[in-house]
Amino acid sequence: AAGVIQSPRHLIKEKRETATLKCYPIPRHDTVYWYQQGPGQDPQFLISFYEKMQSDKGSIPDRFSAQQFSDYHSELNMSSLELGDSALYFCASSLVLRGRGTEAFFGQGTRLTVV
Amino acid sequence: AQKVTQAQTEISVVEKEDVTLDCVYETRDTTYYLFWYKQPPSGELVFLIRRNSFDEQNEISGRYSWNFQKSTSSFNFTITASQVVDSAVYFCALSEVTGGGNKLTFGTGTQLKVEL
């Protein structure tokens, strides 16, 4: 079965650079979520999109932005990178029916290292 | 605000032992979902189970079983006859039901080490 695809798997950037992470959800899933997991921490919700519209926002820095495109893939753009942005970034997708979501399936994550 | 507490930071067991991972949650919602995810050393998050707040039936899947008790706001996870491959970080998570999706609030995770 198709899973959530994230690219790239690993990314190394320097401070103050920009990074773009991509996520391709499971086909027919209408909701995409982004999470950030720092070293030794639990995943923290950043932002979500339902049918290409932002549906919820968590602790996402102003330096980050995201969008969902017409083909349902999503991109997380991160600017002015800081050392503290080094983390594992997960994308997840789910199908929301009548306001009730199914389980979210996670991609394998993008490990971002800022040096 | 929602909160998930996994009081056990790390558990070490010997293979074939049974182990229970505790999860306690807080929410003001009457409708919510509870999840368990496994994160092996390779880093991916693997979905294990989802329960809704109206279904308190315990569930068993192979060596895995889950005990949901709404009265104590707990959703504990038991691995029977643990194996080395069970070594991972296990996260309990709670989702609120919003109009456009179900974001997850994770606990801090329990690192399970199964040794020979």
Side-chain angles (χ1 to χ4, degrees), chain A residues 35 37 40-44, chain B residues 2-9 22-26 34-37 39 45 89-95 104-111:
Chain A
Y35 290 83
Q37 185 180 24
Q41 314 241 318
D42 54 289
Q44 295 289 317
Chain B
Q2 303 198 327
K3 185 177 178 183
V4 177
T5 301
Q6 295 179 255
Q8 304 149 308
T9 305
D22 298 332
C23 173
V24 175
Y25 63 92
E26 295 174 30
L34 293 163
F35 302 80
W36 276 94
Y37 284 88
Q39 187 171 43
L45 281 167
V89 179
Y90 290 85
F91 289 100
C92 180
L94 171 70
S95 83
L104 293 166
T105 298
F106 286 85
T108 49
T110 297
Q111 169 85 59

Side-chain angles (χ1 to χ4, degrees), chain A residues 37-53:
Chain A
Q37 185 180 24
Q41 314 241 318
D42 54 289
Q44 295 289 317
F45 171 73
L46 293 178
I47 195 167
S48 63
F49 293 87
Y50 170 64
E51 285 292 344
K52 294 159 279 185
M53 299 287 289

Side-chain angles (χ1 to χ4, degrees), chain A:
Chain A
V4 177
I5 306 295
Q6 289 188 247
S7 68
R9 292 291 309 281
H10 301 273
L11 191 58
I12 300 176
K13 290 284 186 178
E14 295 189 352
K15 281 192 302 184
R16 292 180 287 278
E17 282 194 319
T18 298
T20 297
L21 310 185
K22 296 186 179 183
C23 169
Y24 297 85
I26 292 172
R28 292 191 298 280
H29 278 193
D30 51 20
T31 305
V32 166
Y33 312 80
W34 286 97
Y35 290 83
Q36 177 191 57
Q37 185 180 24
Q41 314 241 318
D42 54 289
Q44 295 289 317
F45 171 73
L46 293 178
I47 195 167
S48 63
F49 293 87
Y50 170 64
E51 285 292 344
K52 294 159 279 185
M53 299 287 289
Q54 181 182 310
S55 56
D56 205 348
K57 200 170 180 179
S59 47
I60 182 169
D62 292 341
R63 300 176 290 108
F64 294 8
S65 65
Q67 57 181 322
Q68 188 177 28
F69 295 86
S70 58
D71 64 352
Y72 289 90
H73 94 273
S74 178
E75 295 184 2
L76 177 66
N77 298 292
M78 310 155 71
S79 63
S80 303
L81 288 168
E82 302 173 357
L83 295 178
D85 296 330
S86 296
L88 195 51
Y89 289 84
F90 286 105
C91 173
S93 74
S94 70
L95 180 62
V96 176
L97 297 172
R98 295 182 294 279
R100 304 298 173 97
T102 60
E103 55 268 27
F105 290 91
F106 284 79
Q108 292 189 296
T110 293
R111 187 170 297 281
L112 172 67
T113 303
V114 181
V115 297

